[in-house]
Amino acid sequence: MSDQFPTVTQYASPDLIAAIAYEGLPRTADPRWAESGAPDPDTYGRWCGHMCGIACLRMALLARTGDAPTMFELLDGARKYGAYTEDPDTGAIRGLIYAPFVEYVQDVHPLGAETHSTLTVPGLLALLDGGRLVMASVHKEIRRPENPAPGKGGHLVLVTHRQGDTVHFRNPSGHTEQARTASLPTAEFAGFFAGRGVSLI
């Protein structure tokens, strides 16, 4: 499964993620921004950092159906359901918000979805064993697991399956090929995992 499963990143240029994440490259400088479906570089730059969940959904759709809308088509759909909000004063973006996102997925796409506000590692493994994909809330620095976890949550990865005590996942903000198509022992994964997520059927 791990070799065949599609990989989608929240940034249009996977090879620039390291520069964006760690070297200060402006998101608007991504030359492939139009591939995301964004109307212009500024809109892309404003939203791409918030689209880990949208990338997870696009991967799930590609895996299950072989087809998927663009990232920004999915984002626009999710926004209509309230899966993202914007502060009227500061413009700050909040999301992905699970409950309206699940409603959007169930209403619009050929996938089942369920919110898990409390999810243990054994619970996550049970969902995987039941054939589900799991959008798991982790700290973004799971892409560098050789370092101690600086926290839990704030970023979504798509956990695709497990082999024994190893979980395999796709990281939409992975800065290397290994970080994008990743696997970790459950004990290490737990250090980054916030104990919540969304499962997709």
Side-chain angles (χ1 to χ4, degrees):
M1 177 187 288
S2 59
D3 292 336
Q4 301 299 319
F5 203 92
T7 300
V8 174
T9 56
Q10 65 194 85
Y11 303 102
S13 296
D15 59 329
L16 294 181
I17 293 175
I20 292 170
Y22 299 119
E23 299 166 19
L25 181 72
R27 294 166 178 169
T28 52
D30 189 331
R32 294 172 59 182
W33 64 267
E35 295 176 31
S36 69
D40 54 68
D42 287 341
T43 303
Y44 168 81
R46 181 162 186 262
W47 281 95
C48 62
H50 300 274
M51 291 173 65
C52 49
I54 297 299
C56 289
L57 173 60
R58 192 162 196 270
M59 284 187 270
L61 287 168
L62 289 170
R64 295 291 198 242
T65 71
D67 190 32
T70 68
M71 292 282 283
F72 269 77
E73 286 172 331
L74 293 172
L75 174 66
D76 289 345
R79 289 176 67 189
K80 288 184 176 74
Y81 276 75
Y84 291 88
T85 61
E86 298 176 74
D87 186 290
D89 297 322
T90 66
I93 297 168
R94 177 173 173 257
L96 187 104
I97 304 167
Y98 293 172
F101 175 75
V102 163
E103 185 181 0
Y104 162 62
V105 172
Q106 291 176 329
D107 285 357
V108 176
H109 299 290
L111 296 173
E114 183 180 352
T115 298
H116 303 275
S117 56
T118 303
L119 185 60
T120 63
V121 170
L124 168 66
L125 298 179
L127 291 170
L128 298 172
D129 290 346
R132 298 193 186 202
L133 303 169
V134 181
M135 294 169 50
S137 178
V138 300
H139 193 280
K140 64 184 179 181
E141 280 300 304
I142 198 169
R143 61 188 165 206
R144 298 193 295 189
E146 66 276 9
N147 299 326
K152 297 185 178 188
H155 177 60
L156 289 164
V157 298
L158 188 67
V159 188
T160 60
H161 66 292
R162 66 118 159 204
Q163 292 174 300
D165 286 332
T166 298
V167 291
H168 294 258
F169 57 96
R170 294 292 193 269
N171 185 350
S173 71
H175 65 305
T176 65
E177 187 63 39
Q178 184 178 9
R180 289 188 282 274
T181 304
S183 62
L184 281 177
T186 54
E188 289 186 41
F189 186 87
F192 298 87
F193 179 45
R196 58 182 179 268
V198 171
S199 65
L200 302 170
I201 308 167

